[in-house]
Amino acid sequence: EPEVTQTPSHQVTQMGQEVILRCVPISNHLYFYWYRQILGQKVEFLVSFYNNEISEKSEIFDDQFSVERPDGSNFTLKIRSTKLEDSAMYFCASRELAGVTDTQYFGPGTRLTVL
Amino acid sequence: SQQGEEDPQALSIQEGENATMNCSYKTSINNLQWYRQNSGRGLVHLILIRSNEREKHSGRLRVTLDTSKKSSSLLITASRAADTASYFCATSYNTDKLIFGTGTRLQVFP
């Protein structure tokens, strides 16, 4: 069964460094998302992406964050200058169909630790 | 803003028993979804129920939705040790942004 994959599974970085988290969505999906979950807290929406542009973003998704679909398969989240509070599990998700009732399929997550 | 709150926060049961988890939210919704998360792992989609539906089944899962009370319940029948996980509800309204609840940690003892 097709699934969303994410790399790396765990990323450790120093505060102020740039990180790029990578995702390969399910191949025929058209809508892509990033969410994050700080340890012990709720899963929070960061950004949605369709047709090579951001469709919606949350207050968390400030100028330090950016997303890109550099080729036909990858979807990346870049954090330009990491802060301690960026430490979290980052989930990528993808969805196939148009409309607001279709299921989002999540990847296994990348655990980001900022020291 | 929409906000899902699950109760109980934690639930411990024996294998074979049924587990019921509840989710309440604050605003209108188009649909409500339930996800499972094993410790430190990704989110697995379980079931989606639309705002015009009242009940839905999938295997040992039964989900109900009461839009007048802004609440949903997830029932897992004949639980197994492998059902041990955290369960989250997530809502959306006129956007595909999912708003997740706080989750219920389910422990099923063999």
Side-chain angles (χ1 to χ4, degrees), chain B residues 65-78:
Chain B
L65 179 65
D66 187 333
T67 52
S68 66
K69 295 181 179 177
K70 291 186 166 54
S71 68
S72 173
S73 67
L74 171 68
L75 168 67
I76 304 175
T77 60

Side-chain angles (χ1 to χ4, degrees), chain B residues 6-42:
Chain B
E6 281 96 331
D7 80 271
Q9 289 188 337
L11 179 62
S12 294
I13 58 174
Q14 296 288 326
E15 258 190 334
E17 292 181 340
N18 295 341
T20 300
M21 290 159 270
N22 303 296
C23 166
S24 60
Y25 56 92
K26 293 186 177 180
T27 64
S28 299
I29 62 170
N30 293 119
N31 65 69
L32 185 145
Q33 306 185 49
W34 284 91
Y35 285 83
R36 186 184 76 200
Q37 184 182 35
N38 287 54
S39 180
R41 306 290 293 278

Side-chain angles (χ1 to χ4, degrees), chain B residues 88-104:
Chain B
F88 296 90
C89 67
T91 58
S92 63
Y93 181 60
N94 288 352
T95 170
D96 49 3
K97 171 178 74 177
L98 292 178
I99 305 295
F100 281 83
T102 51
T104 293

Side-chain angles (χ1 to χ4, degrees), chain B residues 40-58:
Chain B
R41 306 290 293 278
L43 295 155
V44 175
H45 182 261
L46 296 176
I47 197 164
L48 179 153
I49 187 164
R50 293 179 171 78
S51 60
N52 60 353
E53 296 176 314
R54 292 295 166 259
E55 189 170 312
K56 207 161 182 181
H57 297 255
S58 175

